[in-house]
Amino acid sequence: MVWVCRIVLAVLVGAYGGWLVWPLIEPLTTGGSTADVLAAVSNEAARLGWALPSLWLGSALLYLVAAVFTAGGIGAAPGAYFLAFGAEVIQRLLLQSAPEATLVDTPARLASALAPLNLAVDSGPLALGAMLALGLLVLMTGAWRGKKGHALTRHWTEPPVYA
């Protein structure tokens, strides 16, 4: 049962990491070249400095690494996930002082993606809350304990017997 949870969580984390870097992948799928992608990133870095693009790419890469680690049950999965989450939070804080961001503006992309749902709340804190909850689920799969198959979810299916 735990391995099913790990695979589902790995797919969710990997999908979010892939969505983060979609502005770099999309030009390649429409016939663009790698040089176009590198030029877009370097233009963004020239306007904003290297901190925001580095945090953006670093968090996306760490989310993808966390997805692979989660699927494999490797104990570093929660660490990689929460490093990515921390980098994303720092990036969002830095974005508040850089309104001219285009590629790395994750909150604006998220708001436009969730616009058809007509949410009554701001999508930024909602997304961060959902990502925090996802990270807690990655933590609960038990890979961090180094005991494969003995996750925290074991206590839900096999309650302890008190004698």
Side-chain angles (χ1 to χ4, degrees):
M1 178 63 182
V2 172
W3 65 272
V4 173
C5 292
R6 286 183 184 149
I7 297 298
V8 169
L9 290 173
V11 167
L12 289 173
V13 172
Y16 184 71
W19 179 81
L20 278 177
V21 295
W22 184 250
L24 296 180
I25 298 170
E26 187 176 24
L28 297 175
T29 61
T30 59
S33 67
T34 308
D36 297 335
V37 172
L38 292 175
V41 171
S42 62
N43 288 340
E44 187 89 359
R47 281 187 290 126
L48 303 173
W50 281 99
L52 279 171
S54 298
L55 283 170
W56 175 59
L57 289 173
S59 66
L61 178 67
L62 281 170
Y63 277 130
L64 294 173
V65 167
V68 171
F69 284 0
T70 301
I74 297 171
Y81 184 89
F82 283 110
L83 277 174
F85 182 74
E88 185 174 357
V89 168
I90 293 170
Q91 174 210 355
R92 287 179 184 226
L93 288 173
L94 290 175
L95 273 172
Q96 293 176 355
S97 64
E100 67 274 1
T102 55
L103 274 180
V104 300
D105 197 3
T106 305
R109 289 180 46 225
L110 187 65
S112 67
L114 294 178
L117 297 178
N118 294 328
L119 297 175
V121 296
D122 186 20
S123 61
L126 182 69
L128 286 178
M131 294 309 291
L132 179 63
L134 187 63
L136 293 175
L137 288 174
V138 168
L139 187 66
M140 286 172 32
T141 58
W144 62 279
R145 296 175 58 190
K147 299 177 182 177
K148 294 187 187 278
H150 294 288
L152 293 176
T153 54
R154 174 177 57 96
H155 297 290
W156 300 337
T157 57
E158 299 172 15
V161 177
Y162 297 105

